[in-house]
Amino acid sequence: MSIHDTGFNLIDKKLNPIWKKVRNGQRLTFDDGLVLYKSSDLLGIGQMARYVREKKHGNNAFFVVNQQINPTNICLNHCRFCCFSRKESDPDAYVMSEQEIVSKLSPEIREVHVVSGLYEKWSFEDYVNIVHVIHNKFPALPIKAYTAVEIDFFSQLAKMSVTRVLSRLQKAGVVCLPGGGAEVFSARVQKILFPHKIGWKKWLDIHHTAHELGIRSNATMLYGHIETLEERLMHMLKLRQLQDQTHGFLSFIPLAFQPGTAGITKYQTSGIDDLKTIAVSRLMLDNFDHIKSYWVSLGKEISAMALIFGADDVDGTVVEEKIMHAAKAESPVAMAKDSLMSLIHQAGCVPVERDMLYHYL
Ligand code: V47
């Protein structure tokens, strides 16, 4: 039986006015978000989010056969939370050749996701060339490349405007920007964890410009470190505001922080926090079509449960993931298509293979 046919009782009566708004398709406020986050009625919140998810997508759960490529881990930003970045002199620093990049790809891949470090010895043309090489070898393969942080770096490196940088990449074959580098939209957190990285205003401006050029993008939120619930909600509301203007975001991806060796928190987020964050984002981001349950950061079990708590996409059968595994994520480094489909079945959903722009395959 679908949630549409089921009357359910909310244990936490404070949720009743929010449920009324959700049923009437009314927008939730910051204060509503706080009531949701502070409520212990996890199942009630999950059922409301499931109601919205089912209205948008029925029982479908999307996935894409995806390859991540990280051409180098050398990065001049040494963000405190990041276990992936290296100095050039580090013994495990690497730079991939064109051949190595191309060798990661195969015809069954439906989306390639390129995220690099900020490597000063490469020119902007070197970064563009990576896109060229991929596009020439696999012309039909949609390319999602370079976060707003990298776009800003290229603009400084090449002394070009963000618009020109993005247009150049678009001509080379980029159709979408990944959602990384957003972390959490808070000047307070930025000062402590990533002082040298672009802040939320620039991140949003770059996505705004991309959307104006017809480049779609995703949005992430890194949670479970030192941020407050209020900061998480402000992050969601700022994204919602830009989406109202451009409708350029494809999906929202909450990223559960993997503590690794960064020394910021001892413990990984709880399953309760993960499911609540998926559900709250589904309820707050009424103008986002898709909420991703990123199994690499949530693990397989919570990722399957997230599909009943508002998520409708389990991201990719990522062929190889490096960034979170550098922070000792316990999920496998890759998941085959069959395993991903069985994870979706376990949640009682119907797997739907998609391409980057959510066309059914
Ligand atoms: O920007 C870094 C985050 C992001 C850790 O657009 C960490 O489809 C958890 O953006 N624990 C990169 N997270 C990944 C990313 C992404 C992933 C999947 C899909 C898409 C998409 C984008 O990973 C970084 C940063 O916010 N990150 N270190 C960590 N220890």
Side-chain angles (χ1 to χ4, degrees), residues 112-125:
V112 59
H113 175 163
V114 186
V115 176
S116 190
L118 311 184
Y119 183 33
E120 285 166 308
K121 284 201 181 154
W122 276 350
S123 66
F124 175 46
E125 287 311 311

Side-chain angles (χ1 to χ4, degrees), residues 123-125 152-161 164-165:
S123 66
F124 175 46
E125 287 311 311
D152 174 67
F153 172 69
F154 301 157
S155 148
Q156 292 177 39
L157 200 64
K159 299 191 175 40
M160 278 162 87
S161 68
R164 279 189 64 203
V165 165

Side-chain angles (χ1 to χ4, degrees), residues 29 38 118 154 175 200 211 230 237 245-246 322 334:
T29 62
K38 291 190 174 165
L118 311 184
F154 301 157
V175 291
W200 64 268
H211 296 170
E230 286 82 356
L237 292 193
Q245 290 175 52
T246 64
K322 283 197 166 101

Side-chain angles (χ1 to χ4, degrees), residues 23-72:
R23 271 198 329 255
N24 293 336
Q26 274 174 271
R27 182 159 268 195
L28 301 188
T29 62
F30 176 86
D31 290 342
D32 293 329
L34 263 190
V35 171
L36 289 167
Y37 253 130
K38 291 190 174 165
S39 170
S40 49
D41 188 358
L42 179 65
L43 293 182
I45 298 164
Q47 280 178 300
M48 289 194 273
R50 186 175 174 193
Y51 170 85
V52 176
R53 177 237 194 276
E54 283 194 2
K55 263 178 93 174
K56 285 184 186 279
H57 306 292
N59 222 11
N60 290 344
F62 296 94
F63 71 96
V64 60
V65 180
N66 148 311
Q67 168 74 57
Q68 288 199 14
I69 297 182
N70 306 112
T72 177

Side-chain angles (χ1 to χ4, degrees), residues 79-81 186-195 226 264:
C79 303
R80 257 190 71 194
F81 64 84
S186 151
R188 182 191 71 85
V189 176
Q190 184 191 2
K191 224 173 179 178
I192 303 169
L193 294 190
F194 48 100
I226 59 162
I264 293 165

